């Protein structure tokens, strides 16, 4: 897998993922499970690869952009 997530993009994904995951503890009822969506940006940040970026040919990674 080629890296296509740059450092700024990675930081934004981590923050967004943590905020979404915190909804599990903040919201009540069935709505709180929406917070599990936060797992997706966290995983893509940790792997350094976003499948949607690959499909559309995008990259925010400076190393991958040079190739």
């Amino acid at each position: 897998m080629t890296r296509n997530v740059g450092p700024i993009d990675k930081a934004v994904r981590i923050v967004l993922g943590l905020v979404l995951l915190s909804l599990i503890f903040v919201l009540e009822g069935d709505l709180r499970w929406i917070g599990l969506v936060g797992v997706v940006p966290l995983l893509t940040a940790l792997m350094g690869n976003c499948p949607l970026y690959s499909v559309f040919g995008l990259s925010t990674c400076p190393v991958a952009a040079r190739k």
Side-chain angles (χ1 to χ4, degrees), residues 27-51:
L27 297 177
E28 294 180 5
D30 291 337
L31 270 179
R32 72 182 196 185
W33 298 112
I34 292 174
L36 288 177
V37 173
V39 171
V40 174
L42 277 177
L43 286 177
T44 57
L46 295 175
M47 291 186 325
N49 183 288
C50 176

Side-chain angles (χ1 to χ4, degrees), residues 3-59:
R3 290 189 175 263
N4 60 10
V5 176
I8 295 172
D9 193 7
K10 181 182 267 190
V12 170
R13 287 171 186 264
I14 289 172
V15 170
L16 180 65
L18 291 174
V19 167
L20 286 171
L21 280 175
S22 71
L23 292 177
I24 293 173
F25 304 106
V26 174
L27 297 177
E28 294 180 5
D30 291 337
L31 270 179
R32 72 182 196 185
W33 298 112
I34 292 174
L36 288 177
V37 173
V39 171
V40 174
L42 277 177
L43 286 177
T44 57
L46 295 175
M47 291 186 325
N49 183 288
C50 176
L52 281 177
Y53 278 11
S54 297
V55 168
F56 292 112
L58 299 172
S59 177

